[in-house]
Amino acid sequence: MVFPQDITLRAIDLALARGGRRLAQGLSFTLQGGEALVVTGPNGAGKSTFLRVLAGLLAPAAGEVALDGAGVEAPGLAAHYLGHAEALKGALTARENLEFWSAMLEAGHGGLDPDAALGRVALSHAPDLPVSFLSAGQRRRVAICRLLVAPRPLWLLDEPTTALDAASQARLAALMKEHLAAGGLIVAATHGDLGLTARELRLGGES
């Protein structure tokens, strides 16, 4: 999957608030296709809030977000948001979960089929296992496969390496590098090293 060369994510003078408390303000950046932005800062600084604003799940306290060149009106329509919850149904198998997301997100434009996606995260042995049978790390890897079955240019990742062992972190880093090489964009909140060449946006706040 190759994304448009002129795709650009812009945040303009964003302010973040949660529970009536201002977390950050004056946040501005421009991210071109093929670039990654790592968001760092202590607990409570607003990293998750920031990603949810970019995804269109929360309204900013001020400012705006725009995604140019993706052919959509709102950035969230061209984004994958991978949060702390995997958004998987435990009673369904890994394959069935991915088939659901593939249909829900209208895949068919260069995405992998569920079994091929599971192979990319070393879960070829588990397509028919109910997700409730899987370990936390395995469930995280199934959630990562959602990025592969329904390609979208903007990946918004909140602590994406949570519960992943070293080998799985390396596989995720390889997938992220492939996404960037195809002209995609990544904004990731993290406390650790993702193995990417990326710009950094540090948010303040109380730890």
Side-chain angles (χ1 to χ4, degrees):
M1 180 69 189
V2 178
F3 300 104
Q5 293 183 349
D6 60 347
I7 194 165
T8 304
L9 176 67
R10 294 182 294 115
I12 305 166
D13 203 23
L14 282 183
L16 311 176
R18 185 176 61 229
R21 182 171 69 91
R22 185 65 63 95
L23 298 173
Q25 59 188 6
L27 302 176
S28 297
F29 67 86
T30 299
L31 201 64
Q32 305 284 347
E35 293 185 327
L37 178 70
V38 169
V39 185
T40 63
N43 294 334
K47 298 186 298 296
S48 295
T49 299
F50 179 63
L51 290 183
R52 290 173 67 84
V53 166
L54 296 182
L57 301 173
L58 292 176
E64 62 178 296
V65 179
L67 183 64
D68 302 322
V72 297
E73 294 182 3
L77 298 176
H80 274 302
Y81 172 70
L82 182 62
H84 296 145
E86 278 80 20
L88 301 172
K89 296 182 181 294
L92 299 182
T93 67
R95 181 189 291 119
E96 288 169 339
N97 269 280
L98 294 176
E99 288 173 342
F100 167 81
W101 280 112
S102 179
M104 182 73 174
L105 298 173
E106 299 180 345
H109 301 286
L112 299 181
D113 67 68
D115 284 12
L118 289 167
R120 294 300 309 274
V121 297
L123 284 177
S124 295
H125 63 287
D128 297 314
L129 288 177
V131 164
S132 60
F133 288 14
L134 302 179
S135 70
Q138 289 174 323
R139 291 195 300 272
R140 192 64 168 174
R141 285 147 64 189
V142 175
I144 289 168
C145 287
R146 191 167 75 243
L147 309 175
L148 307 179
V149 300
R152 290 188 165 189
L154 176 57
W155 288 5
L156 303 172
L157 311 178
D158 199 350
E159 295 294 346
T161 60
T162 297
L164 296 182
D165 60 21
S168 296
Q169 290 182 34
R171 293 187 193 97
L172 174 59
L175 292 174
M176 290 190 290
K177 289 175 182 176
E178 287 179 15
H179 182 66
L180 295 174
L185 308 96
I186 296 175
V187 182
T190 183
H191 288 289
D193 182 10
L194 296 180
L196 291 179
T197 299
R199 292 154 52 191
E200 181 179 358
L201 174 66
R202 182 167 180 84
L203 302 182
E206 298 178 0
S207 59

